[in-house]
Amino acid sequence: MAAAGGEERQLLAQRLKAAVHYTVGCLCGEVEEEKDVQFSKQIIAAISDITFRHCEIFAKDLEMFARHAKRTTITTEDVKLLARRSNSLLKHITKMSEELASSNMEQKEKKKKKSSTAKAERTPGEQESAVTENEDSNMA
Amino acid sequence: MASRGGGTPAASGASGPAELQLPQGPGGLSPPPPPPPRNYADHNAPRRRRNYPPHTAPRPLPARAHVSREAAGGARGAAVTGSNMADGRTRSRAALRRSGRHNAQAAAQTGLSVENQSKSVRSTLATQGLAVFPDLRNGTPRFMLKRVIQSQPPVSPLAPQISTHEDTQEVHSEVPSKRVSSMGELQLSDVAPEDRITVFHMTKKRKKLSISEFERAAEKRLSQYQAQSALDSTIMTRSLHMSVGSLLAPDTVEKRGLLRRPKIRRAVDLQEFEGRVEQNMLKNKGQNCLVDSPSASGIRTSILTSDAEMMMNSTELFVQPQLDEQSQNKSVLEPQLSNLKTSAERSLISDADQEEARLEGLVSGVSTNEKRYSKSSSLHHEHVDRMTHISPQTPAKQQKEKQDHSHQSNRMAQISFTEEEEVCTAEHGANAGYSEHLEKKLSEKAELQITAAEDKRGETEMAPSAGKELAEGSVGGQGSPRAEHVITRGIGAESLGRHSHAFSSFNKPEMTPVNETDEQEGEPQDQAIMLELNTSVEEPAEDEVEHPASQEVSMKTPAFVRVPASNLLLSTPRVTKPAAPSFPQRSPLQQLQPKVISKRLGTSQRKPREPQIPRSLIKEAFRHFAKMPVTTETYKIVEKCSERYFQQLSDDLEAYTHHAGRKTVEAADLEVLMRRQGLVTDRTPLTVLIERHFPLQYRKMLIPVAVSGNKVISSK
């Protein structure tokens, strides 16, 4: 069972790695077109590997930040703290989080107008923002 | 028998050894005499014989034992007296006394059987080479004295007398060696009372000395000086003294006692000294404000003239080498004096070269110098025109000297390019004018330069636009946080360079003291430039960069008056840690503030320097971990890196604390930091690290410690 679980996890990891690799490839293609440069396959593979490992570090750090703030949920604040090193990234994330928050507020108001209850709007919104924000390569 | 002038010491000395033997006599009496006096003789004899060279002691004995027996008392006494005493009579008397003692001793010892014992004693003594016990017929003191009086010529104890020849003859004839030895012994004893120190050393040296040699020497001397007066004998003793003293010399050299070791003074480094002098001068200048500035500058020039002169070996009016771009610039830039930016930039471009140019220009007239110089030369013109009351020479000299010094110190130290730029900006000030305006411009320029690439320095833009510069500044400001740090650092450095050393506090921690000196040196120059620029075209530059208020002030008041205002402005940005979003807005403000700061010491408050890790600590740690030789430039870089590193650390810590909604940094924040650093992992929690690296005292504060006796020392 443990081995199966381990295998399962490995499979999942492989799938995730493949997904990351694919995304990195797409992004590099875009940069190639923009800057008129060439990306070799090894480079893309290296970048994807680094990204994947860094994601693990991100996750640990985010969890640590959340626990540090005496919370059990990872929020956009934790993400912002993670991204504070890179100014542009931080600004970007901040902007996006503000947009998301405003959109959430709007949705909330709409929902409140509709007077529907028990809709945890915020958590999906946060999760979405977290996901989208995590997609950006982050410098710790 | 006691008082005999010169004879007393000798007598006392002579009687010493004799007296040594004396106690034996009465001691020997108490036990029954049958124990042969031989023992005493033996006891006495060895003591005496000890002082005699072995070869001499037995030799003369058998032949002369009997011969000397009779004449021993008298002859010996005479000989002794002849050799030692200044007066024949005293000698004889001393000898008699000695012999008398011997006789007494002998008589005491041979109380029962005088003849036998004395004879036996005498015989034994004679065999041993000593005639201790005199003849009863002629050897007793009474008879000896009688003989002496009859034979010896009357001698006054006061007048120095030449020892009788016959005594010497007797001495030499009978027992030369023995007598010499005895005389030598007596000589030693003679020496002793005169100079006790030598006696001491003599006793020490006695073992080292070969008695035979000494005896030979003494004999020689005796033969030489025997016939002479007492003075000569004293000379002999003195010679002996000296011989002894020479032997003693090495000993005394070793024993320094209270003598002090020669102080080894470190050679004064001229550069250091000059730099310190400059600092002092700047201090004084700052305190004396404008009024004393000429005098101070004059003093400064006087002090630094030598240094400047050393630098300026060539007395050419125009310095050709290294100034190619300057020469070009001069011709081109002069007409553009009005453009503040250009002048400032020009000043920024060439640092060392300008210094030299300025230095050389100092030799010729001020006006010519200005022309020769690069852009800032125009400022000189204006400055000269403006400050006619102040001798332009001195300020120029002063500035040049400062530049020279700063230049030198620049060369000496390994300045990073930022520092150089700052120094350049400081140095390229005009003469001893005090224009803050130019200063601000220069500082801004320096900041821009710093943030921009290094190649900027090489640029010789004739007509730089203010906007461009602003853009540069903004770009630099909006760059990475590092740029901002650099800017602030540059600001601090520039401010230091421009202003008196009082503002060294503004300096960034990494500024080396050399840089500080450089900047200090540059201060008056900058001031000069500023003042000049004030008179010259100020508006274009002012509009762009300056505070409106400061502009006005710069126009009207000297730089130092503006210090308090600038201080207030400057203090704020340095204190707060720059947050990321606030970079762009803050940098221009920070850029402006150091320019506004004036240099004058007295008027401005001294800002306390920011705490920084001691350079020595960084050096030591780095050297320890590098495990290989490290050049000095690397230490500067390492210092900067460590400074940056710790700044980032503190920034992170603040962010974590803020993240937790607190305002006080706590251990949890630090743990988060360490976890991010990778020092604390799931395997090595913080407590493990504490235990591993901290001494007990600190560990106690963090982790409860359990000690014996059911005691727990808690951290709270």
Side-chain angles (χ1 to χ4, degrees), chain B residues 59-75:
Chain B
R59 228 190 293 132
L61 181 60
R64 300 179 193 124
H66 296 274
V67 173
S68 63
R69 211 193 316 150
E70 292 173 359

Side-chain angles (χ1 to χ4, degrees), chain B residues 27-294:
Chain B
L29 263 179
S30 47
R38 184 175 313 192
N39 295 340
Y40 297 107
D42 296 346
H43 194 81
N44 293 332
R47 203 184 305 133
R48 281 193 67 179
R49 204 170 27 144
R50 208 185 303 130
N51 303 328
Y52 289 79
H55 69 279
T56 56
R59 228 190 293 132
L61 181 60
R64 300 179 193 124
H66 296 274
V67 173
S68 63
R69 211 193 316 150
E70 292 173 359
R76 194 174 4 99
V80 166
T81 54
S83 63
N84 289 345
M85 301 315 209
D87 302 340
R89 183 165 298 172
T90 55
R91 275 186 231 138
S92 62
R93 286 194 188 151
L96 280 173
R97 198 157 58 123
R98 291 187 68 192
S99 57
R101 289 220 179 92
H102 293 311
N103 293 336
Q105 190 176 15
Q109 288 179 359
T110 64
L112 296 182
S113 61
V114 175
E115 293 285 341
N116 296 339
Q117 287 179 1
S118 65
K119 275 181 191 170
S120 64
V121 168
R122 258 179 263 143
S123 63
T124 54
L125 283 176
T127 51
Q128 292 168 2
L130 295 171
V132 178
F133 303 108
D135 233 352
L136 273 180
R137 279 162 292 157
N138 293 330
T140 54
R142 176 192 166 85
F143 289 109
M144 281 176 69
L145 188 58
K146 184 179 175 185
R147 223 176 329 115
V148 163
I149 292 169
Q150 287 166 358
S151 64
Q152 291 285 339
V155 172
S156 157
L158 298 174
Q161 290 289 330
I162 301 172
S163 60
T164 53
H165 190 63
E166 46 184 87
D167 297 340
T168 58
Q169 291 291 352
E170 286 174 355
V171 170
H172 284 284
S173 63
E174 306 231 345
V175 187
S177 58
K178 196 164 74 168
R179 291 293 170 262
V180 165
S181 60
S182 64
M183 280 191 297
E185 190 183 352
L186 287 170
Q187 288 293 337
L188 291 178
S189 58
D190 251 353
V191 168
E194 289 172 9
D195 189 354
R196 290 200 184 127
I197 296 172
T198 53
V199 167
F200 273 118
H201 295 299
M202 282 307 299
T203 53
K204 265 205 261 174
K205 294 284 182 182
R206 203 170 279 185
K207 291 178 185 172
K208 293 184 187 175
L209 286 175
S210 64
I211 305 297
S212 59
E213 278 185 10
F214 182 83
E215 282 189 354
R216 277 186 231 122
E219 184 181 353
K220 230 190 293 180
R221 288 202 190 86
L222 278 174
S223 59
Q224 290 173 12
Y225 302 114
Q226 197 66 23
Q228 295 180 11
S229 62
L231 203 58
D232 296 335
S233 68
T234 55
I235 291 172
M236 181 162 55
T237 56
R238 254 184 248 142
S239 66
L240 285 176
H241 276 269
M242 281 160 56
S243 64
V244 169
S246 64
L247 287 167
L248 294 172
D251 270 354
T252 50
V253 165
E254 291 167 8
K255 296 174 196 171
R256 281 181 156 277
L258 295 174
L259 291 179
R260 294 189 178 176
R261 299 188 189 277
K263 287 189 179 177
I264 299 169
R265 294 178 197 276
R266 206 176 47 144
V268 177
D269 185 20
L270 187 64
Q271 297 292 339
E272 253 180 84
F273 178 74
E274 298 279 0
R276 301 257 168 78
V277 164
E278 280 189 63
Q279 287 180 30
N280 283 339
M281 290 310 306
L282 287 169
K283 262 185 205 167
N284 295 338
K285 270 179 60 184
Q287 288 164 358
N288 300 333
C289 302
L290 262 184
V291 178
D292 300 338
S293 61

Side-chain angles (χ1 to χ4, degrees), chain A residues 54 57-58 60-61 64-71 75 77-79 81-82 84-85 87 90-91 139-140, chain B residues 478-481 580-581 583 648-649 651-652 655-657 659-660 662 668-673 675-676:
Chain A
H54 226 295
I57 296 174
F58 288 158
K60 288 187 188 158
D61 289 345
M64 188 169 61
F65 290 151
R67 197 180 311 142
H68 180 68
K70 299 178 183 68
R71 275 186 273 109
T75 63
E77 297 300 318
D78 301 326
V79 178
L81 192 65
L82 192 69
R84 80 193 172 289
R85 280 295 170 80
N87 290 339
L90 185 64
K91 276 198 294 185
M139 277 170 41
Chain B
Q478 290 175 5
S480 59
F583 280 172
Q648 275 196 357
L649 268 188
D651 291 351
D652 288 354
Y656 296 149
T657 312
H659 181 73
R662 278 185 269 108
D669 304 325
L670 207 64
E671 180 157 4
V672 170
L673 180 71
R675 195 172 274 275
R676 281 215 57 161

Side-chain angles (χ1 to χ4, degrees), chain B residues 476-687:
Chain B
Q478 290 175 5
S480 59
R482 179 185 162 282
E484 197 233 358
H485 287 292
V486 172
I487 288 168
T488 52
R489 202 172 355 128
I491 291 165
E494 288 159 11
S495 63
L496 178 65
R498 305 296 154 45
H499 311 288
S500 63
H501 62 292
F503 296 83
S504 62
S505 57
F506 289 118
N507 248 353
K508 289 268 183 137
E510 51 267 39
M511 295 304 297
T512 61
V514 176
N515 296 335
E516 288 174 17
T517 53
D518 296 344
E519 288 152 359
Q520 289 172 9
E521 294 168 14
E523 290 171 20
Q525 302 165 3
D526 295 338
Q527 296 175 8
I529 295 172
M530 285 306 188
L531 286 176
E532 290 183 358
L533 287 178
N534 281 337
T535 55
S536 67
V537 178
E538 298 170 347
E539 297 165 4
E542 284 178 358
D543 297 338
E544 292 152 353
V545 180
E546 291 287 336
H547 259 289
S550 59
Q551 288 175 10
E552 291 170 359
V553 179
S554 69
M555 298 271 284
K556 293 166 189 173
T557 63
F560 68 91
V561 176
R562 279 184 273 168
V563 171
S566 59
N567 275 343
L568 298 171
L569 286 170
L570 190 65
S571 59
T572 47
R574 294 291 293 139
V575 172
T576 61
K577 288 286 178 184
S582 62
F583 280 172
Q585 296 97 27
R586 198 173 296 167
S587 48
L589 181 66
Q590 283 170 342
Q591 287 171 14
L592 288 173
Q593 282 157 358
K595 299 173 210 164
V596 180
I597 295 165
S598 78
K599 321 103 187 209
R600 285 311 178 194
L601 244 189
T603 52
S604 69
Q605 10 165 351
R606 282 196 87 131
K607 189 180 183 185
R609 186 196 293 216
E610 279 192 14
Q612 51 179 336
I613 297 175
R615 196 168 296 133
S616 60
L617 180 66
I618 294 174
K619 255 190 172 179
E620 281 300 314
F622 191 74
R623 198 184 299 141
H624 171 259
F625 287 113
K627 289 176 188 139
M628 53 170 43
V630 183
T631 55
T632 44
E633 304 113 13
T634 52
Y635 287 126
K636 288 194 172 59
I637 311 257
V638 167
E639 198 180 336
K640 289 200 176 81
C641 293
S642 70
E643 173 100 17
R644 180 101 190 89
Y645 174 75
F646 284 115
Q647 270 176 3
Q648 275 196 357
L649 268 188
S650 49
D651 291 351
D652 288 354
L653 208 57
E654 186 202 353
Y656 296 149
T657 312
H658 184 69
H659 181 73
R662 278 185 269 108
K663 293 202 176 160
T664 321
V665 178
E666 293 214 349
D669 304 325
L670 207 64
E671 180 157 4
V672 170
L673 180 71
M674 294 188 79
R675 195 172 274 275
R676 281 215 57 161
Q677 280 185 326
L679 295 169
V680 172
T681 64
D682 299 328
R683 298 194 65 188
T684 58
L686 193 60
T687 49

